[in-house]
Coordinates of all heavy atoms in Angstrom, one line a residue:
M1 N 276.9 93.2 255.4 CA 276.3 92.6 254.2 C 275.9 93.6 253.2 O 276.0 93.3 252.0 CB 275.0 91.8 254.7 CG 274.4 91.0 253.6 SD 275.5 89.7 253.1 CE 274.5 88.7 252.2
G2 N 275.5 94.8 253.6 CA 275.1 95.8 252.6 C 276.3 96.3 251.8 O 276.2 96.7 250.6
A3 N 277.5 96.3 252.5 CA 278.7 96.8 251.8 C 279.1 95.8 250.7 O 279.6 96.2 249.6 CB 279.9 97.0 252.7
I4 N 278.9 94.5 250.9 CA 279.2 93.5 249.9 C 278.2 93.6 248.7 O 278.7 93.6 247.6 CB 279.1 92.1 250.5 CG1 280.2 91.9 251.6 CG2 279.2 91.0 249.5 CD1 280.1 90.6 252.4
I5 N 277.0 93.8 249.0 CA 276.0 93.9 247.9 C 276.3 95.2 247.1 O 276.3 95.2 245.9 CB 274.6 94.0 248.5 CG1 274.2 92.6 249.1 CG2 273.5 94.3 247.4 CD1 272.9 92.6 249.9
S6 N 276.6 96.3 247.8 CA 276.9 97.5 247.1 C 278.2 97.4 246.2 O 278.3 97.9 245.1 CB 277.1 98.7 248.1 OG 275.9 98.9 248.8
G7 N 279.2 96.7 246.8 CA 280.4 96.5 246.1 C 280.2 95.7 244.8 O 280.7 96.0 243.7
V8 N 279.4 94.6 244.9 CA 279.1 93.8 243.7 C 278.3 94.6 242.7 O 278.6 94.4 241.5 CB 278.4 92.5 244.2 CG1 277.9 91.7 243.0 CG2 279.3 91.6 245.0
I9 N 277.4 95.4 243.1 CA 276.6 96.2 242.2 C 277.5 97.2 241.5 O 277.4 97.4 240.3 CB 275.4 96.9 242.9 CG1 274.4 95.8 243.3 CG2 274.8 98.0 242.0 CD1 273.3 96.4 244.2
F10 N 278.4 97.9 242.2 CA 279.3 98.8 241.6 C 280.2 98.1 240.6 O 280.5 98.7 239.5 CB 280.1 99.5 242.7 CG 279.4 100.6 243.4 CD1 279.6 100.8 244.8 CD2 278.6 101.5 242.7 CE1 278.9 101.8 245.4 CE2 277.9 102.5 243.4 CZ 278.1 102.7 244.8
L11 N 280.7 96.9 241.0 CA 281.6 96.2 240.0 C 280.8 95.8 238.8 O 281.3 95.9 237.7 CB 282.2 95.0 240.7 CG 283.3 95.2 241.7 CD1 283.6 93.9 242.4 CD2 284.5 95.8 241.1
A12 N 279.6 95.4 238.9 CA 278.8 95.0 237.8 C 278.5 96.2 236.9 O 278.5 96.1 235.7 CB 277.4 94.4 238.3
V13 N 278.2 97.3 237.5 CA 277.9 98.5 236.7 C 279.2 99.0 236.0 O 279.2 99.4 234.8 CB 277.4 99.7 237.6 CG1 277.4 101.0 236.9 CG2 276.0 99.4 238.1
G14 N 280.3 98.9 236.6 CA 281.6 99.2 236.0 C 281.9 98.4 234.8 O 282.3 98.9 233.7
L15 N 281.7 97.1 234.9 CA 281.9 96.2 233.8 C 280.9 96.4 232.7 O 281.3 96.3 231.5 CB 281.9 94.7 234.3 CG 283.1 94.3 235.2 CD1 282.8 92.9 235.7 CD2 284.4 94.4 234.5
T16 N 279.7 96.7 233.0 CA 278.7 97.0 232.0 C 279.0 98.3 231.3 O 278.8 98.3 230.1 CB 277.3 97.1 232.7 OG1 277.1 95.9 233.4 CG2 276.2 97.2 231.6
V17 N 279.4 99.3 232.0 CA 279.8 100.6 231.3 C 281.0 100.3 230.4 O 281.0 101.0 229.3 CB 280.1 101.6 232.4 CG1 280.8 102.8 231.8 CG2 278.9 102.1 233.1
R18 N 281.9 99.5 230.7 CA 283.0 99.2 229.8 C 282.5 98.6 228.5 O 283.0 98.9 227.4 CB 283.9 98.2 230.5 CG 285.1 97.8 229.8 CD 286.1 98.9 229.7 NE 287.4 98.5 229.1 CZ 288.3 99.2 228.7 NH1 288.2 100.5 228.9 NH2 289.4 98.7 228.2
V19 N 281.5 97.7 228.6 CA 281.1 97.0 227.4 C 280.0 97.9 226.6 O 280.0 98.0 225.4 CB 280.5 95.6 227.7 CG1 279.9 94.9 226.5 CG2 281.5 94.8 228.4
Y20 N 279.1 98.5 227.4 CA 278.0 99.3 226.8 C 278.1 100.7 227.3 O 277.4 101.1 228.3 CB 276.6 98.7 227.1 CG 276.5 97.2 226.7 CD1 276.5 96.2 227.6 CD2 276.3 96.9 225.4 CE1 276.3 94.9 227.2 CE2 276.2 95.6 225.0 CZ 276.2 94.6 225.9 OH 276.0 93.3 225.5
P21 N 278.9 101.6 226.7 CA 279.0 103.0 227.2 C 277.8 103.8 227.1 O 277.6 104.8 227.7 CB 280.2 103.5 226.4 CG 280.2 102.7 225.2 CD 279.7 101.4 225.6
N22 N 276.8 103.4 226.3 CA 275.6 104.1 226.1 C 274.7 104.1 227.3 O 273.7 104.9 227.3 CB 274.8 103.6 224.9 CG 275.5 103.9 223.6 OD1 276.3 104.8 223.5 ND2 275.2 103.1 222.6
I23 N 275.0 103.3 228.3 CA 274.1 103.3 229.5 C 274.5 104.4 230.5 O 273.8 104.7 231.4 CB 274.1 102.0 230.3 CG1 275.5 101.7 230.9 CG2 273.7 100.8 229.4 CD1 275.4 100.6 231.9
L24 N 275.5 105.1 230.2 CA 275.9 106.3 231.0 C 274.8 107.3 230.9 O 274.3 107.6 229.8 CB 277.2 106.9 230.6 CG 278.5 106.1 230.9 CD1 279.7 106.7 230.2 CD2 278.7 106.0 232.4
A25 N 274.4 107.9 232.0 CA 273.3 108.9 232.0 C 273.6 110.1 231.2 O 274.7 110.7 231.3 CB 273.0 109.3 233.5
G26 N 272.7 110.4 230.2 CA 272.9 111.6 229.4 C 273.8 111.4 228.2 O 273.9 112.3 227.4
Y27 N 274.4 110.2 228.0 CA 275.3 110.0 226.9 C 274.6 110.1 225.6 O 275.1 110.6 224.6 CB 276.0 108.7 227.1 CG 277.1 108.4 226.1 CD1 278.4 109.0 226.3 CD2 277.0 107.6 225.0 CE1 279.4 108.8 225.4 CE2 278.0 107.3 224.1 CZ 279.2 107.9 224.3 OH 280.2 107.7 223.4
N28 N 273.4 109.5 225.5 CA 272.7 109.5 224.2 C 272.1 110.9 223.9 O 271.8 111.1 222.7 CB 271.5 108.5 224.3 CG 272.1 107.1 224.2 OD1 273.1 106.8 223.7 ND2 271.3 106.2 224.9
S29 N 272.0 111.7 224.9 CA 271.4 113.1 224.6 C 272.5 114.1 224.2 O 272.2 115.2 223.9 CB 270.6 113.6 225.8 OG 271.5 113.8 226.9
L30 N 273.7 113.7 224.2 CA 274.8 114.5 223.7 C 274.8 114.7 222.2 O 274.3 113.8 221.5 CB 276.2 114.0 224.1 CG 276.5 113.8 225.6 CD1 277.8 113.1 225.8 CD2 276.5 115.2 226.3
S31 N 275.3 115.8 221.8 CA 275.4 116.0 220.3 C 276.5 115.1 219.8 O 277.3 114.5 220.6 CB 275.7 117.5 220.0 OG 277.0 117.8 220.5
Q32 N 276.5 114.9 218.5 CA 277.5 114.0 217.9 C 278.9 114.5 218.2 O 279.8 113.7 218.5 CB 277.2 114.0 216.4 CG 278.1 113.0 215.6 CD 277.8 111.5 216.1 OE1 276.7 111.2 216.4 NE2 278.8 110.7 216.0
K33 N 279.1 115.8 218.2 CA 280.4 116.4 218.4 C 280.8 116.1 219.9 O 282.0 115.7 220.2 CB 280.4 117.9 218.2 CG 281.8 118.5 218.4 CD 281.7 120.0 218.2 CE 283.0 120.7 218.6 NZ 282.9 122.1 218.7
E34 N 279.9 116.3 220.8 CA 280.2 116.0 222.2 C 280.4 114.5 222.5 O 281.3 114.1 223.3 CB 279.1 116.5 223.1 CG 279.0 118.0 223.2 CD 277.8 118.5 224.0 OE1 276.7 117.8 224.0 OE2 277.9 119.5 224.6
Q35 N 279.7 113.6 221.8 CA 279.9 112.2 221.9 C 281.3 111.8 221.4 O 282.0 111.0 222.1 CB 278.9 111.4 221.2 CG 277.6 111.3 221.9 CD 276.6 110.3 221.3 OE1 276.9 109.8 220.2 NE2 275.4 110.1 221.9
E36 N 281.7 112.4 220.3 CA 283.1 112.1 219.8 C 284.1 112.6 220.7 O 285.1 111.9 220.9 CB 283.2 112.7 218.4 CG 282.4 112.0 217.3 CD 282.4 112.8 216.0 OE1 283.2 113.8 215.9 OE2 281.7 112.3 215.1
N37 N 283.9 113.8 221.3 CA 284.9 114.4 222.2 C 285.0 113.5 223.5 O 286.0 113.3 224.0 CB 284.5 115.8 222.5 CG 285.6 116.6 223.2 OD1 286.8 116.3 222.9 ND2 285.3 117.5 224.1
A38 N 283.8 113.0 223.9 CA 283.8 112.2 225.1 C 284.5 110.9 224.9 O 285.2 110.4 225.7 CB 282.4 112.0 225.6
E39 N 284.3 110.3 223.7 CA 285.0 109.1 223.4 C 286.5 109.3 223.2 O 287.3 108.4 223.6 CB 284.4 108.5 222.1 CG 283.1 107.9 222.3 CD 282.4 107.4 221.0 OE1 283.2 107.2 220.0 OE2 281.2 107.1 221.1
K40 N 286.9 110.4 222.6 CA 288.4 110.7 222.5 C 289.0 110.9 223.9 O 290.2 110.5 224.1 CB 288.6 112.0 221.7 CG 288.4 111.8 220.2 CD 288.6 113.1 219.5 CE 288.3 113.0 218.0 NZ 288.4 114.2 217.3
N41 N 288.2 111.5 224.8 CA 288.8 111.7 226.1 C 288.5 110.5 227.1 O 288.8 110.6 228.3 CB 288.1 112.9 226.7 CG 288.5 114.2 226.0 OD1 289.5 114.3 225.4 ND2 287.6 115.2 226.2
R42 N 288.0 109.4 226.5 CA 287.9 108.1 227.2 C 286.9 108.2 228.4 O 287.2 107.7 229.5 CB 289.2 107.6 227.7 CG 290.2 107.4 226.5 CD 291.5 106.9 226.9 NE 291.2 105.6 227.4 CZ 292.1 104.6 227.5 NH1 293.3 104.8 227.0 NH2 291.9 103.5 228.1
L43 N 285.7 108.8 228.1 CA 284.7 108.9 229.2 C 284.2 107.5 229.6 O 284.1 107.2 230.8 CB 283.5 109.7 228.7 CG 282.3 109.8 229.6 CD1 282.8 110.6 230.9 CD2 281.2 110.5 229.0
P44 N 284.0 106.5 228.7 CA 283.6 105.2 229.1 C 284.6 104.5 230.0 O 284.3 103.8 231.0 CB 283.4 104.4 227.8 CG 283.1 105.5 226.8 CD 283.9 106.6 227.2
F45 N 285.9 104.7 229.7 CA 286.9 104.1 230.5 C 287.0 104.8 231.9 O 287.2 104.1 232.9 CB 288.3 104.3 229.8 CG 289.4 103.6 230.5 CD1 289.5 102.2 230.6 CD2 290.4 104.4 231.2 CE1 290.6 101.6 231.3 CE2 291.4 103.8 231.9 CZ 291.5 102.4 231.9
F46 N 286.7 106.1 231.9 CA 286.6 106.8 233.2 C 285.5 106.2 234.1 O 285.7 106.0 235.3 CB 286.4 108.3 232.9 CG 286.1 109.1 234.2 CD1 287.1 109.4 235.1 CD2 284.8 109.6 234.4 CE1 286.8 110.1 236.2 CE2 284.5 110.3 235.5 CZ 285.5 110.6 236.4
G47 N 284.3 106.0 233.5 CA 283.2 105.4 234.2 C 283.6 104.0 234.7 O 283.2 103.6 235.8
F48 N 284.2 103.2 233.8 CA 284.6 101.9 234.2 C 285.6 101.9 235.4 O 285.4 101.2 236.4 CB 285.3 101.2 233.0 CG 286.1 99.9 233.4 CD1 285.5 98.8 233.8 CD2 287.5 100.0 233.3 CE1 286.2 97.6 234.1 CE2 288.2 98.8 233.6 CZ 287.6 97.7 234.0
I49 N 286.6 102.7 235.4 CA 287.6 102.8 236.5 C 286.9 103.3 237.7 O 287.1 102.8 238.8 CB 288.7 103.8 236.1 CG1 289.6 103.1 235.0 CG2 289.6 104.1 237.3 CD1 290.3 101.9 235.4
L50 N 286.0 104.3 237.6 CA 285.3 104.9 238.8 C 284.5 103.9 239.5 O 284.6 103.7 240.7 CB 284.5 106.1 238.4 CG 283.7 106.8 239.5 CD1 284.7 107.4 240.5 CD2 282.8 107.8 238.9
F51 N 283.6 103.2 238.7 CA 282.7 102.2 239.4 C 283.4 101.0 239.9 O 283.1 100.4 240.9 CB 281.6 101.8 238.4 CG 280.5 102.8 238.2 CD1 280.3 103.5 237.0 CD2 279.7 103.1 239.3 CE1 279.4 104.5 236.9 CE2 278.7 104.1 239.2 CZ 278.5 104.8 238.0
T52 N 284.5 100.6 239.2 CA 285.3 99.4 239.6 C 286.0 99.8 240.9 O 286.0 99.0 241.9 CB 286.3 99.0 238.6 OG1 285.5 98.7 237.4 CG2 287.0 97.8 239.0
A53 N 286.5 101.0 241.0 CA 287.2 101.4 242.2 C 286.2 101.5 243.4 O 286.5 101.1 244.5 CB 287.9 102.7 242.0
M54 N 285.1 102.0 243.1 CA 284.0 102.2 244.2 C 283.6 100.8 244.7 O 283.5 100.6 245.9 CB 282.8 102.9 243.6 CG 283.0 104.4 243.4 SD 281.7 105.2 242.5 CE 280.3 105.0 243.6
G55 N 283.5 99.8 243.8 CA 283.2 98.5 244.2 C 284.3 97.8 245.0 O 284.0 97.1 246.0
A56 N 285.5 98.0 244.6 CA 286.6 97.4 245.3 C 286.7 98.0 246.7 O 287.0 97.3 247.7 CB 287.9 97.6 244.5
I57 N 286.5 99.3 246.8 CA 286.6 99.9 248.1 C 285.5 99.4 249.0 O 285.7 99.2 250.2 CB 286.6 101.5 248.0 CG1 287.9 102.0 247.3 CG2 286.4 102.1 249.3 CD1 287.9 103.4 246.9
C58 N 284.3 99.3 248.5 CA 283.2 98.7 249.3 C 283.5 97.3 249.8 O 283.2 97.0 250.9 CB 281.9 98.8 248.5 SG 281.2 100.4 248.3
L59 N 284.0 96.5 248.9 CA 284.4 95.1 249.3 C 285.5 95.1 250.3 O 285.4 94.3 251.3 CB 284.7 94.3 248.1 CG 283.6 94.0 247.1 CD1 284.1 93.3 245.9 CD2 282.5 93.2 247.8
V60 N 286.5 95.9 250.2 CA 287.6 95.9 251.1 C 287.1 96.5 252.5 O 287.4 96.0 253.5 CB 288.7 96.8 250.6 CG1 289.7 97.1 251.7 CG2 289.4 96.1 249.4
S61 N 286.1 97.4 252.4 CA 285.6 97.9 253.7 C 284.8 96.9 254.4 O 284.8 96.9 255.7 CB 284.8 99.2 253.5 OG 283.5 98.9 252.8
S62 N 284.1 96.0 253.7 CA 283.3 95.0 254.4 C 284.3 94.0 255.0 O 284.0 93.5 256.1 CB 282.4 94.3 253.4 OG 283.1 93.5 252.4
I63 N 285.4 93.7 254.4 CA 286.4 92.8 255.0 C 287.0 93.4 256.2 O 287.2 92.7 257.2 CB 287.4 92.4 253.9 CG1 286.8 91.5 252.8 CG2 288.6 91.6 254.6 CD1 287.7 91.3 251.6
L64 N 287.3 94.7 256.1 CA 287.9 95.4 257.3 C 286.9 95.4 258.4 O 287.3 95.3 259.6 CB 288.3 96.8 256.9 CG 289.6 96.9 256.1 CD1 289.9 98.4 255.7 CD2 290.8 96.4 257.0
S65 N 285.6 95.6 258.1 CA 284.6 95.7 259.2 C 284.5 94.4 259.9 O 284.3 94.3 261.1 CB 283.3 96.2 258.7 OG 282.7 95.2 257.9
I66 N 284.7 93.3 259.2 CA 284.7 92.0 259.8 C 285.9 91.7 260.6 O 285.8 91.3 261.8 CB 284.5 90.8 258.7 CG1 283.1 90.9 258.1 CG2 284.7 89.5 259.3 CD1 283.0 90.1 256.9
L67 N 287.1 92.1 260.1 CA 288.3 91.9 260.8 C 288.4 92.8 262.1 O 289.0 92.4 263.1 CB 289.5 92.2 259.9 CG 289.7 91.2 258.8 CD1 290.9 91.6 257.9 CD2 290.0 89.8 259.3
L68 N 287.9 94.0 262.0 CA 288.0 94.9 263.1 C 286.8 94.8 264.0 O 286.7 95.5 265.0 CB 288.1 96.4 262.6 CG 289.4 96.7 261.8 CD1 289.3 98.1 261.3 CD2 290.6 96.5 262.7
E69 N 285.9 93.9 263.7 CA 284.7 93.7 264.5 C 283.9 95.0 264.7 O 283.4 95.2 265.8 CB 285.0 93.0 265.8 CG 285.6 91.6 265.6 CD 286.1 91.0 266.9 OE1 285.9 91.6 268.0 OE2 286.5 89.8 266.9
D70 N 283.7 95.7 263.7 CA 283.0 97.0 263.7 C 282.0 97.0 262.6 O 282.3 97.3 261.4 CB 283.9 98.2 263.6 CG 283.2 99.5 263.8 OD1 282.0 99.5 264.1 OD2 283.8 100.6 263.5
P71 N 280.7 96.5 262.8 CA 279.8 96.3 261.7 C 279.4 97.6 261.0 O 279.0 97.6 259.9 CB 278.6 95.7 262.4 CG 278.8 95.9 263.8 CD 280.2 96.1 264.1
K72 N 279.5 98.8 261.7 CA 279.1 100.0 261.1 C 280.2 100.6 260.1 O 279.9 101.4 259.3 CB 278.9 101.1 262.2 CG 277.7 100.8 263.0 CD 277.5 101.9 264.0 CE 276.2 101.7 264.9 NZ 276.0 102.8 265.8
L73 N 281.4 100.1 260.2 CA 282.4 100.6 259.4 C 282.2 100.4 257.9 O 282.3 101.3 257.1 CB 283.8 99.9 259.7 CG 285.0 100.4 258.9 CD1 285.3 101.8 259.3 CD2 286.2 99.5 259.3
G74 N 281.7 99.2 257.5 CA 281.4 98.9 256.1 C 280.3 99.7 255.6 O 280.5 100.2 254.4
S75 N 279.3 99.9 256.3 CA 278.2 100.7 255.8 C 278.5 102.2 255.7 O 278.1 102.9 254.8 CB 276.9 100.5 256.6 OG 277.1 100.8 257.9
N76 N 279.3 102.7 256.7 CA 279.7 104.1 256.7 C 280.6 104.4 255.5 O 280.5 105.4 254.8 CB 280.4 104.5 258.0 CG 279.4 104.5 259.1 OD1 278.2 104.6 259.0 ND2 280.0 104.4 260.4
I77 N 281.6 103.5 255.2 CA 282.5 103.7 254.1 C 281.8 103.6 252.8 O 282.0 104.3 251.9 CB 283.7 102.7 254.2 CG1 284.6 103.1 255.4 CG2 284.5 102.7 252.9 CD1 285.8 102.2 255.6
T78 N 280.8 102.7 252.7 CA 280.0 102.6 251.5 C 279.2 103.8 251.2 O 279.2 104.3 250.1 CB 279.0 101.4 251.6 OG1 279.7 100.2 251.8 CG2 278.2 101.2 250.4
L79 N 278.7 104.4 252.2 CA 278.0 105.7 252.1 C 278.9 106.8 251.6 O 278.6 107.6 250.7 CB 277.3 106.1 253.4 CG 276.4 107.3 253.4 CD1 275.2 107.1 252.5 CD2 276.0 107.7 254.8
I80 N 280.1 106.9 252.2 CA 281.1 107.9 251.8 C 281.6 107.7 250.4 O 281.7 108.6 249.6 CB 282.3 107.9 252.8 CG1 281.8 108.4 254.2 CG2 283.4 108.7 252.3 CD1 282.8 108.2 255.3
V81 N 281.8 106.4 250.0 CA 282.2 106.1 248.7 C 281.2 106.4 247.7 O 281.5 107.0 246.6 CB 282.6 104.6 248.6 CG1 282.7 104.1 247.2 CG2 283.9 104.3 249.3
T82 N 279.9 106.2 248.0 CA 278.8 106.5 247.0 C 278.8 108.0 246.8 O 278.7 108.4 245.6 CB 277.5 106.0 247.6 OG1 277.6 104.6 247.8 CG2 276.4 106.3 246.6
F83 N 278.8 108.8 247.8 CA 278.7 110.3 247.6 C 279.9 110.8 247.0 O 279.8 111.7 246.1 CB 278.4 111.0 249.0 CG 277.0 110.8 249.4 CD1 276.7 110.3 250.7 CD2 275.9 111.1 248.6 CE1 275.4 110.1 251.1 CE2 274.6 110.9 249.0 CZ 274.3 110.4 250.3
T84 N 281.1 110.3 247.4 CA 282.3 110.8 246.7 C 282.4 110.4 245.3 O 282.7 111.2 244.4 CB 283.5 110.3 247.5 OG1 283.4 110.6 248.9 CG2 284.8 110.8 246.9
G85 N 281.9 109.2 245.0 CA 281.9 108.8 243.6 C 280.9 109.6 242.7 O 281.2 109.8 241.6
L86 N 279.8 110.0 243.3 CA 278.8 110.8 242.6 C 279.4 112.1 242.3 O 279.3 112.6 241.1 CB 277.6 111.0 243.5 CG 276.6 112.0 243.0 CD1 275.8 111.4 241.8 CD2 275.6 112.4 244.1
I87 N 280.1 112.7 243.2 CA 280.8 114.0 242.9 C 281.8 113.9 241.8 O 281.9 114.7 240.9 CB 281.3 114.6 244.2 CG1 280.2 115.0 245.1 CG2 282.2 115.9 243.9 CD1 280.6 115.3 246.5
I88 N 282.7 112.9 242.0 CA 283.7 112.7 241.0 C 283.1 112.4 239.6 O 283.6 112.8 238.6 CB 284.7 111.5 241.4 CG1 285.4 112.0 242.7 CG2 285.6 111.1 240.3 CD1 286.2 110.9 243.3
A89 N 282.1 111.6 239.6 CA 281.4 111.3 238.3 C 280.9 112.5 237.6 O 281.1 112.7 236.4 CB 280.3 110.2 238.5
V90 N 280.2 113.4 238.3 CA 279.6 114.6 237.7 C 280.7 115.5 237.3 O 280.7 116.0 236.1 CB 278.7 115.2 238.7 CG1 278.2 116.6 238.2 CG2 277.4 114.4 239.0
V91 N 281.7 115.8 238.1 CA 282.7 116.8 237.8 C 283.6 116.2 236.7 O 283.9 116.9 235.7 CB 283.5 117.2 239.0 CG1 284.7 118.0 238.7 CG2 282.6 117.9 240.0
G92 N 284.1 115.0 236.8 CA 284.9 114.4 235.9 C 284.3 114.1 234.5 O 284.8 114.3 233.5
G93 N 283.0 113.7 234.6 CA 282.3 113.5 233.3 C 282.1 114.8 232.5 O 282.2 114.8 231.3
N94 N 281.7 115.9 233.2 CA 281.5 117.2 232.6 C 282.8 117.6 232.0 O 282.9 118.2 230.9 CB 281.0 118.2 233.5 CG 279.5 118.0 233.7 OD1 278.8 117.5 232.8 ND2 279.0 118.4 234.9
F95 N 283.9 117.4 232.7 CA 285.2 117.8 232.2 C 285.6 117.1 230.9 O 286.1 117.7 230.0 CB 286.3 117.6 233.3 CG 287.7 118.0 232.8 CD1 288.0 119.4 232.9 CD2 288.6 117.1 232.4 CE1 289.3 119.8 232.4 CE2 289.9 117.5 232.0 CZ 290.2 118.8 232.0
L96 N 285.4 115.8 230.9 CA 285.7 115.0 229.8 C 284.9 115.2 228.6 O 285.3 115.1 227.4 CB 285.7 113.5 230.2 CG 286.8 113.0 231.1 CD1 286.5 111.5 231.5 CD2 288.1 113.2 230.5
I97 N 283.6 115.7 228.8 CA 282.7 116.0 227.7 C 283.0 117.3 227.1 O 283.0 117.5 225.9 CB 281.3 115.9 228.2 CG1 280.9 114.5 228.5 CG2 280.3 116.5 227.1 CD1 279.5 114.3 229.2
N98 N 283.3 118.3 227.9 CA 283.4 119.7 227.4 C 284.8 120.2 227.1 O 284.9 121.2 226.5 CB 282.8 120.6 228.5 CG 281.3 120.4 228.7 OD1 280.6 120.1 227.7 ND2 280.8 120.4 229.9
H99 N 285.8 119.5 227.5 CA 287.2 119.9 227.2 C 287.9 119.0 226.2 O 287.7 117.8 226.3 CB 288.0 120.0 228.5 CG 287.6 121.1 229.4 ND1 286.5 120.9 230.3 CD2 288.0 122.3 229.6 CE1 286.3 122.0 231.0 NE2 287.2 122.9 230.6
K100 N 288.7 119.6 225.4 CA 289.5 118.8 224.4 C 290.8 118.5 225.1 O 291.7 119.3 225.3 CB 289.7 119.6 223.2 CG 288.4 119.8 222.4 CD 288.7 120.4 221.0 CE 287.4 120.6 220.2 NZ 287.7 121.2 218.9
I101 N 291.0 117.2 225.4 CA 292.2 116.7 226.0 C 293.2 116.2 224.9 O 294.3 116.5 224.9 CB 291.9 115.6 227.1 CG1 291.2 116.3 228.2 CG2 293.2 115.0 227.6 CD1 290.8 115.3 229.3
N102 N 292.6 115.5 224.0 CA 293.5 114.9 222.9 C 293.4 115.8 221.7 O 292.5 116.3 221.2 CB 293.0 113.5 222.5 CG 293.2 112.5 223.7 OD1 294.1 112.7 224.5 ND2 292.3 111.5 223.8

């Protein structure tokens, strides 16, 4: 059940980031140049894809845990997805803010 709730929350955050990119942590504290660079490098789209993928993986893991009759599988994968997504968000976000891709 926790994997389903986590998946829905990740999907909701992903869709919210797509519409309101200012909710990304630290986005408003960036300088104007860094915000323009982040928008050119599609940081809001990166956040949308990341959170949506995390939500989809959590939902799929909950279905797999039901099919395989292993209740711990969904919660374990949700934990792994959360920590992996955190690392990807920090590293990828810093890369998109600080490097000129376009």
